[in-house]
Amino acid sequence: MPICQPGDIVMLVARDRKQSKFIFKLEETRKLHTHVGAIAHDDMIGQKLGAQVNSHTGHPFDLLAPSIDDLIRDIKRNSQIIFPKDIGFILMKMAITPGKTVLECGTGSGGLTSVLALMVGPHGKVHTYDQRDDMQSLAKKNIERIGLQDRVTFTLRDIAEGFEQTDADAVFLDVPRPWEYTAQAHRALAGGGFFGCLVPTTNQVSNLITALERDHFSFIEVCEVLVRYYKPVAERLRPTDRMVAHTGFLIFARAISGLTAEPEPAEEAGDAPVL
Amino acid sequence: MPICQPGDIVMLVARDRKQSKFIFKLEETRKLHTHVGAIAHDDMIGQKLGAQVNSHTGHPFDLLAPSIDDLIRDIKRNSQIIFPKDIGFILMKMAITPGKTVLECGTGSGGLTSVLALMVGPHGKVHTYDQRDDMQSLAKKNIERIGLQDRVTFTLRDIAEGFEQTDADAVFLDVPRPWEYTAQAHRALAGGGFFGCLVPTTNQVSNLITALERDHFSFIEVCEVLVRYYKPVAERLRPTDRMVAHTGFLIFARAISGLTAEPEPAEEAGDAPVL
Amino acid sequence: MPICQPGDIVMLVARDRKQSKFIFKLEETRKLHTHVGAIAHDDMIGQKLGAQVNSHTGHPFDLLAPSIDDLIRDIKRNSQIIFPKDIGFILMKMAITPGKTVLECGTGSGGLTSVLALMVGPHGKVHTYDQRDDMQSLAKKNIERIGLQDRVTFTLRDIAEGFEQTDADAVFLDVPRPWEYTAQAHRALAGGGFFGCLVPTTNQVSNLITALERDHFSFIEVCEVLVRYYKPVAERLRPTDRMVAHTGFLIFARAISGLTAEPEPAEEAGDAPVL
Amino acid sequence: MPICQPGDIVMLVARDRKQSKFIFKLEETRKLHTHVGAIAHDDMIGQKLGAQVNSHTGHPFDLLAPSIDDLIRDIKRNSQIIFPKDIGFILMKMAITPGKTVLECGTGSGGLTSVLALMVGPHGKVHTYDQRDDMQSLAKKNIERIGLQDRVTFTLRDIAEGFEQTDADAVFLDVPRPWEYTAQAHRALAGGGFFGCLVPTTNQVSNLITALERDHFSFIEVCEVLVRYYKPVAERLRPTDRMVAHTGFLIFARAISGLTAEPEPAEEAGDAPVL
């Protein structure tokens, strides 16, 4: 029975036109302050998800679990973050599952870090690197807010010096010049480990492919993920007028030599019932 | 240290042009038979990931962990399956994380079931329904092969009669007429629980929106996920000639009344640094 | 030698950061008034395209021919117009070439009308219908401004009563309920003539397909045209962040019975070097 | 009244499942030979478009005008051709209208040449260049077949030496290294004339942007045109499973110095009702 407990991350949605969302960790004796009044956490602890709670001014809210999409969207940020559409595909391609050890550089605002920490579960580990203290301070707060600090180590370092870990299951780079760190990523990975990267320009993609081939990576794949939303009206169904056209190119590879890049990605292959 | 153990799911990739992949669970005393010779599981148990192993004919293979993309692609199937590009986004929108309880109908070949079982971890649960025995038999084999049978229950039933569970965190429908089961999905969900569905045609999307509005769902979103691959050649970077243009429309909603559909999905909203 | 003559449609672009564009027909003794001063048409007549001209305040402008894209963008409008990306494809699919007779309903602001009139040349004809006088008045002004009024007839009529013409080469419908006028379109077309339509919603597409099949049209095709722009920076090439995701669905057909819809559009057909 | 005349380009479509198409110029006393029998051109001359005609074996055909899409698809080719989706947009961006003078290099199989010749009409001119005699021979045949040879000049030349013409309205390059010919294109263009190019890789786009900026072009735009087809079934409307994902990047510019590239292409610009 989904009864709200101290430590749970919950989302309050205001029952009004604007549907303001508030995402936070439940803690005894604390209060949430909103534009339409305050609500004591103790009034939510013990409630079932889906319950309606009221602020001290009587404004109604729905008590919900946030989606990962909600969580990422809500993150406090001082940098460009990675979109849920891209994160979901990264999980699939890099096998981010409970129990895994994942390295990440840079930490940025901690959006991807948060999802990695969620997905590796209590027995997994995320080691995240950044050169900027202000970035990691914010990311730490974001991770603490969702209560996952025990799964994450934060290191301030230029990874040109290398990662501290070896035998990692996966390494993800979100840095402007990833081609300078592919050798370091290879050394940090277990045999055949998963490499992933996001860069915004085609020039960066070309540079990174060259570095991955040089530094003994195989199965290089380059792709983009696009999400197209529709206006959800049954009798006038149509795509929205505008969409996000680009966040970045995703590059994936495996830390193993000598296996040439696949000539055709699987989703391209003829008539076979691939996916 | 990633040493291969009995029970691990591993992938062997042949070191040749075709790069045939073999995905299986390591079991003592068993043998893998390939087109280029046999390999004893015992010769892989105790090896590090990334090791090279040889068949009895001397053909070399690389021993790797499969990605989720590899796993899904490899699944034995007798039905259309859900693509990794869609599964990744489903995880983000429906908050499929370690410890969750997820319902699914229909089971199909068990591709989505497999990823749900992976992601909910050892403390989560997947309950999957189908009306066809032959489907569930195949799906069971697919789940057993990756060793996740303890996290999954299989039920043969027309869900017009309802799900057995209540208070589920999430319900996913992959059936031809999902609009006939939205009330049942609502009853099975915890308050505010996550609803998801994939359908191939616009007519089905319209019917489902009508049913979701009638059956007290809110925050309805409709979208498509498109992945565009590039030929990974540094000095001649270009998209592949053809791509998968359509697998299905994804529909998401929350089991709670009275919150109207968002006028604009988050990725549409103006200039704010959303994701 | 492209010397500007009275009657030519030209474009002045301000040589400054905002690059304001002014599109108009050159007429002796007239003056163009801009935010940075006035310019006499007589100062442009006799100049070569590409010349620099100055306003009376000394502000420099470049004298250019507008593209069709420029022309359409500049049109005064009181309704949604059809995008150049869609118009270009309409020309290809409906064989709009010099000498053709084309019917159109509704006239709207006259954007498509203008391009049709340009493309059918001095020996072709465009007959455009609308029910709203205010619409056609504006469209007339837009057509007169580019000097093509001799090629266009304007008729105020509900085309439920039918078109005045028969044996037209092509009929394009840009109306909310095109399925009510497919029989009228068929009667107006020469044997095998080209039918085209743009509608924004999937529900409208479904209704129109049903009507076209009922009213003896063949070779029905449904498609969308998407244009994705890149930031034109050599060393940081990347798609723009956002794009137009939807203007409308294009539906094409031929006025002839009994030829079933093609099972696969040409661009889908296997490996053959189609286009 | 659209009565078929000698010299008309017509299309015969077989009334059977395969719907084979035959596109040719009507000439007195000639015969068309098909897999289901022969048909004398004289039996078609004098018929109305849309008429049914029979081969000598009695197989029925429909007599139609081809669309430009049909024409291009039918062209005999020994090289990659430019798709109708791209050609349509090129017409819009480069103002290819009746009466214009257009230069093209290379000729290739003459597909784009054909559409340019159609669109400039009897008072316009297309000058096309190629270095390969075999290419131009085939292109000449393709142009003669549709009867437009009077509007086209063919020149065998390496355009590194420059074009013969000056004051052209538009220059289109379809060559592997277009950045080597931008100065030549500029010299051939009238002031402010339209430049266009299609290249398949991002590396080529970057090289071309650099050359255009160096050689005094302004208003550089880079884009892709994507067409997504739907299965035209009213009650099960859905996109086709696969689509053409890439033919090439289109680059447009104007032959005039000092006007910087637009910061945002028009279709990106905020809320204004642009197109």
Side-chain angles (χ1 to χ4, degrees):
Chain A
M1 271 254 271
I3 299 295
C4 294
Q5 309 288 344
D8 286 356
I9 310 300
V10 296
M11 176 168 73
L12 278 185
V13 184
R15 282 218 160 231
D16 52 31
R17 206 181 149 161
K18 205 164 161 257
Q19 298 186 356
S20 308
K21 292 175 175 178
F22 302 88
I23 297 179
F24 52 96
K25 182 160 63 163
L26 286 176
E27 297 175 60
E28 285 160 346
T29 78
R30 287 201 64 170
K31 267 195 181 170
L32 174 77
H33 295 276
T34 81
H35 60 304
V36 286
I39 309 169
H41 286 211
D42 289 333
D43 290 350
M44 294 177 267
I45 292 169
Q47 296 273 2
K48 290 177 70 170
L49 284 174
Q52 188 177 306
V53 296
N54 295 310
S55 72
H56 82 282
T57 66
H59 196 93
F61 288 82
D62 287 287
L63 181 61
L64 297 171
S67 73
I68 302 179
D69 191 67
D70 292 322
L71 270 179
I72 297 287
R73 230 186 266 178
D74 185 63
I75 258 182
K76 271 148 203 70
R77 70 194 66 175
N78 51 14
S79 61
Q80 183 63 13
I81 61 168
I82 300 185
F83 273 54
K85 72 180 176 68
D86 295 317
I87 296 177
F89 203 61
I90 289 167
L91 302 182
M92 294 294 104
K93 284 285 187 180
M94 297 181 71
I96 310 298
T97 52
K100 292 295 181 70
T101 296
V102 184
L103 310 190
E104 178 200 34
C105 179
T107 308
S109 307
L112 176 60
T113 322
S114 300
V115 184
L116 295 174
L118 263 173
M119 290 307 190
V120 299
H123 307 299
K125 201 80 189 174
V126 178
H127 302 287
T128 185
Y129 290 76
D130 210 299
Q131 286 190 264
R132 288 178 52 186
D133 195 17
D134 57 332
M135 284 287 187
Q136 284 214 331
S137 299
L138 177 64
K140 263 182 206 170
K141 274 184 207 150
N142 282 325
I143 297 290
E144 279 164 14
R145 199 180 62 128
I146 57 171
L148 298 179
Q149 60 278 9
D150 294 348
R151 304 178 188 177
V152 183
T153 73
F154 293 86
T155 307
L156 272 176
R157 176 189 289 193
D158 179 353
I159 56 160
E161 305 163 27
F163 291 93
E164 286 177 12
Q165 293 75 22
T166 53
D167 283 324
D169 295 301
V171 171
F172 192 87
L173 298 185
D174 179 19
V175 297
R177 304 174 68 80
W179 53 89
E180 297 182 351
Y181 310 112
T182 43
Q184 291 85 335
H186 200 290
R187 282 197 294 274
L189 280 166
F194 295 94
F195 173 89
C197 183
L198 183 143
V199 291
T201 75
T202 62
N203 316 69
Q204 289 168 303
V205 174
S206 287
N207 287 341
L208 180 55
I209 291 171
T210 300
L212 288 169
E213 289 173 343
R214 177 194 66 208
D215 288 336
H216 310 297
F217 284 89
S218 293
F219 293 112
I220 301 170
E221 290 188 324
V222 177
C223 64
E224 297 173 276
V225 179
L226 295 158
V227 175
R228 193 185 193 200
Y229 282 95
Y230 285 69
K231 299 187 183 177
V233 181
E235 67 280 10
R236 288 189 307 280
L237 185 67
R238 49 166 292 180
T240 54
D241 295 333
R242 288 170 171 272
M243 65 183 279
V244 172
H246 186 65
T247 54
F249 298 99
L250 289 170
I251 300 94
F252 299 108
R254 305 295 298 264
I256 193 154
S257 282
L259 288 165
T260 55
E262 291 176 282
E264 284 289 278
E267 300 199 356
E268 290 295 310
D271 297 325
V274 296
L275 78 167
Chain B
M1 272 253 270
I3 300 294
C4 293
Q5 310 287 346
D8 285 357
I9 310 300
V10 295
M11 176 168 73
L12 278 185
V13 185
R15 280 216 162 234
D16 52 32
R17 209 182 147 162
K18 206 165 160 256
Q19 297 186 358
S20 308
K21 292 175 175 177
F22 301 88
I23 298 179
F24 52 97
K25 181 160 63 164
L26 286 175
E27 296 176 59
E28 285 160 347
T29 78
R30 287 201 65 171
K31 267 195 180 170
L32 175 76
H33 294 276
T34 81
H35 59 306
V36 287
I39 309 169
H41 286 211
D42 288 332
D43 291 350
M44 294 177 267
I45 292 169
Q47 295 273 3
K48 289 177 71 168
L49 283 174
Q52 189 177 306
V53 295
N54 294 310
S55 72
H56 81 283
T57 66
H59 196 94
F61 287 81
D62 287 288
L63 181 61
L64 297 170
S67 73
I68 301 179
D69 191 65
D70 292 321
L71 270 179
I72 298 286
R73 231 184 264 180
D74 186 62
I75 258 183
K76 272 148 202 71
R77 68 194 67 174
N78 51 14
S79 61
Q80 183 63 14
I81 61 169
I82 300 185
F83 273 53
K85 71 180 178 67
D86 295 317
I87 295 178
F89 203 61
I90 289 167
L91 301 182
M92 294 294 104
K93 283 287 186 178
M94 297 181 71
I96 309 297
T97 53
K100 293 295 181 70
T101 296
V102 184
L103 311 190
E104 177 200 34
C105 180
T107 308
S109 307
L112 176 60
T113 322
S114 300
V115 183
L116 296 174
L118 264 174
M119 291 307 191
V120 299
H123 307 299
K125 202 81 190 175
V126 178
H127 301 288
T128 185
Y129 289 76
D130 210 299
Q131 286 190 262
R132 288 178 53 186
D133 196 18
D134 57 332
M135 286 288 188
Q136 283 214 332
S137 298
L138 177 65
K140 264 183 204 169
K141 276 183 206 150
N142 283 324
I143 297 290
E144 278 164 13
R145 199 179 63 128
I146 57 172
L148 299 179
Q149 60 276 13
D150 293 349
R151 304 178 187 176
V152 183
T153 72
F154 293 87
T155 306
L156 273 177
R157 177 188 288 193
D158 180 354
I159 56 161
E161 303 162 27
F163 293 91
E164 285 177 11
Q165 293 75 22
T166 53
D167 283 325
D169 295 301
V171 171
F172 193 86
L173 298 185
D174 179 19
V175 297
R177 303 174 67 82
W179 52 89
E180 297 182 351
Y181 309 112
T182 43
Q184 291 85 336
H186 200 291
R187 282 196 295 272
L189 280 165
F194 294 95
F195 173 89
C197 184
L198 182 143
V199 290
T201 75
T202 62
N203 315 70
Q204 289 169 303
V205 174
S206 288
N207 287 342
L208 180 55
I209 291 170
T210 301
L212 288 168
E213 290 174 343
R214 176 196 66 208
D215 287 336
H216 310 296
F217 285 89
S218 294
F219 293 113
I220 300 170
E221 289 188 325
V222 178
C223 65
E224 297 174 276
V225 179
L226 295 158
V227 175
R228 193 186 195 201
Y229 281 96
Y230 285 68
K231 298 187 183 178
V233 181
E235 68 279 11
R236 290 189 306 279
L237 186 66
R238 49 167 292 182
T240 55
D241 296 332
R242 287 167 172 275
M243 65 183 279
V244 172
H246 186 65
T247 54
F249 298 99
L250 289 170
I251 301 95
F252 299 108
R254 304 294 299 264
I256 194 156
S257 282
L259 288 165
T260 55
E262 290 178 282
E264 285 289 279
E267 300 200 356
E268 290 295 311
D271 296 325
V274 293
L275 80 166
Chain C
M1 270 252 271
I3 300 294
C4 295
Q5 309 287 346
D8 286 356
I9 310 300
V10 296
M11 176 168 73
L12 278 185
V13 185
R15 283 217 159 231
D16 52 32
R17 207 180 149 163
K18 204 162 161 258
Q19 296 185 357
S20 307
K21 293 176 174 176
F22 302 87
I23 297 179
F24 52 96
K25 182 159 62 162
L26 286 175
E27 295 176 61
E28 286 161 344
T29 78
R30 288 199 64 169
K31 267 193 182 174
L32 174 76
H33 295 276
T34 80
H35 59 305
V36 286
I39 309 169
H41 286 211
D42 289 332
D43 291 349
M44 295 177 266
I45 292 169
Q47 297 272 2
K48 290 176 71 168
L49 283 175
Q52 188 177 305
V53 297
N54 295 311
S55 72
H56 83 281
T57 66
H59 196 92
F61 287 81
D62 288 287
L63 181 61
L64 297 171
S67 72
I68 302 179
D69 191 66
D70 292 322
L71 271 179
I72 297 286
R73 231 184 265 179
D74 186 63
I75 258 182
K76 272 147 202 70
R77 68 195 66 175
N78 51 14
S79 60
Q80 183 63 14
I81 62 169
I82 300 185
F83 273 54
K85 71 180 177 69
D86 295 317
I87 295 177
F89 203 61
I90 289 167
L91 301 181
M92 294 294 105
K93 284 285 187 181
M94 298 182 69
I96 310 297
T97 52
K100 293 295 180 69
T101 297
V102 184
L103 310 190
E104 177 200 35
C105 180
T107 307
S109 307
L112 177 60
T113 322
S114 300
V115 184
L116 295 174
L118 264 174
M119 290 306 190
V120 300
H123 307 299
K125 203 79 189 178
V126 178
H127 302 287
T128 185
Y129 290 77
D130 209 299
Q131 286 190 264
R132 288 177 52 184
D133 195 17
D134 57 332
M135 285 287 187
Q136 283 215 331
S137 299
L138 176 65
K140 263 183 205 168
K141 274 183 207 150
N142 282 325
I143 297 290
E144 279 163 14
R145 200 180 60 128
I146 57 172
L148 299 179
Q149 61 277 9
D150 294 348
R151 305 178 188 177
V152 183
T153 72
F154 293 87
T155 306
L156 272 176
R157 176 189 289 195
D158 179 353
I159 56 161
E161 303 163 28
F163 292 92
E164 285 177 12
Q165 293 75 20
T166 54
D167 284 324
D169 294 301
V171 171
F172 193 86
L173 299 185
D174 178 18
V175 297
R177 304 174 67 81
W179 54 88
E180 297 182 350
Y181 310 112
T182 43
Q184 291 85 336
H186 199 292
R187 283 196 294 272
L189 281 166
F194 294 94
F195 172 89
C197 184
L198 183 143
V199 291
T201 74
T202 62
N203 316 70
Q204 289 168 304
V205 174
S206 287
N207 288 341
L208 180 55
I209 291 171
T210 301
L212 287 168
E213 289 173 343
R214 177 194 66 209
D215 288 336
H216 310 295
F217 284 89
S218 295
F219 294 111
I220 300 170
E221 289 188 324
V222 178
C223 64
E224 297 174 276
V225 179
L226 295 158
V227 175
R228 193 185 193 201
Y229 281 96
Y230 285 69
K231 298 187 183 177
V233 181
E235 65 281 8
R236 288 189 308 279
L237 185 67
R238 49 167 292 180
T240 55
D241 295 333
R242 287 170 172 273
M243 64 183 280
V244 172
H246 186 66
T247 54
F249 298 99
L250 289 170
I251 299 95
F252 300 108
R254 304 294 299 264
I256 193 154
S257 282
L259 288 165
T260 55
E262 290 177 282
E264 286 288 280
E267 300 199 356
E268 291 296 310
D271 296 325
V274 295
L275 79 167
Chain D
M1 271 252 269
I3 300 293
C4 295
Q5 309 287 345
D8 286 356
I9 310 300
V10 295
M11 176 167 73
L12 278 186
V13 185
R15 282 220 160 230
D16 52 32
R17 205 176 152 165
K18 204 160 161 262
Q19 297 186 359
S20 307
K21 293 176 174 178
F22 301 88
I23 298 178
F24 52 97
K25 181 160 63 161
L26 286 175
E27 296 175 60
E28 285 160 347
T29 78
R30 286 200 65 170
K31 266 194 181 173
L32 174 76
H33 295 277
T34 81
H35 59 304
V36 286
I39 309 170
H41 286 211
D42 288 334
D43 290 350
M44 295 178 266
I45 292 169
Q47 295 273 2
K48 291 177 70 169
L49 283 175
Q52 189 178 307
V53 296
N54 295 311
S55 72
H56 82 282
T57 66
H59 196 94
F61 287 81
D62 287 288
L63 182 61
L64 297 171
S67 73
I68 302 179
D69 191 66
D70 293 321
L71 270 179
I72 297 287
R73 231 185 264 179
D74 186 62
I75 258 183
K76 272 147 202 72
R77 70 195 66 174
N78 51 13
S79 60
Q80 182 63 13
I81 61 168
I82 299 184
F83 273 53
K85 69 181 178 68
D86 295 317
I87 295 178
F89 203 60
I90 289 167
L91 301 181
M92 294 295 103
K93 284 286 187 179
M94 298 181 70
I96 310 297
T97 52
K100 292 296 181 69
T101 296
V102 184
L103 310 190
E104 177 200 34
C105 180
T107 308
S109 307
L112 176 60
T113 323
S114 300
V115 183
L116 295 174
L118 264 173
M119 290 306 192
V120 300
H123 307 299
K125 202 80 189 175
V126 178
H127 302 287
T128 186
Y129 290 75
D130 209 300
Q131 285 189 262
R132 289 178 53 186
D133 196 17
D134 57 332
M135 285 287 188
Q136 284 214 332
S137 298
L138 177 64
K140 263 183 205 168
K141 274 183 206 151
N142 282 325
I143 297 291
E144 278 163 14
R145 200 179 62 128
I146 57 172
L148 298 179
Q149 61 276 10
D150 293 348
R151 304 178 187 176
V152 183
T153 73
F154 293 86
T155 306
L156 273 176
R157 176 187 290 193
D158 179 354
I159 56 162
E161 304 162 26
F163 292 92
E164 285 177 12
Q165 293 75 22
T166 53
D167 284 324
D169 295 301
V171 171
F172 192 87
L173 298 186
D174 178 20
V175 296
R177 302 175 68 81
W179 52 89
E180 298 183 349
Y181 310 112
T182 43
Q184 291 85 334
H186 199 292
R187 283 197 295 274
L189 281 166
F194 294 94
F195 173 89
C197 184
L198 182 142
V199 290
T201 75
T202 62
N203 315 70
Q204 290 168 305
V205 174
S206 287
N207 288 342
L208 181 55
I209 291 170
T210 300
L212 288 168
E213 289 173 344
R214 177 194 68 208
D215 287 335
H216 310 296
F217 285 88
S218 295
F219 293 112
I220 300 171
E221 288 187 325
V222 177
C223 64
E224 296 174 276
V225 179
L226 295 159
V227 175
R228 194 186 195 201
Y229 281 95
Y230 285 69
K231 298 187 184 178
V233 181
E235 67 279 12
R236 289 188 307 279
L237 185 68
R238 48 167 292 180
T240 55
D241 295 333
R242 288 170 171 273
M243 65 183 279
V244 172
H246 186 65
T247 54
F249 298 99
L250 289 170
I251 300 95
F252 300 108
R254 304 294 299 262
I256 194 156
S257 282
L259 288 166
T260 55
E262 290 177 281
E264 285 289 279
E267 300 198 356
E268 290 295 311
D271 297 326
V274 295
L275 79 168

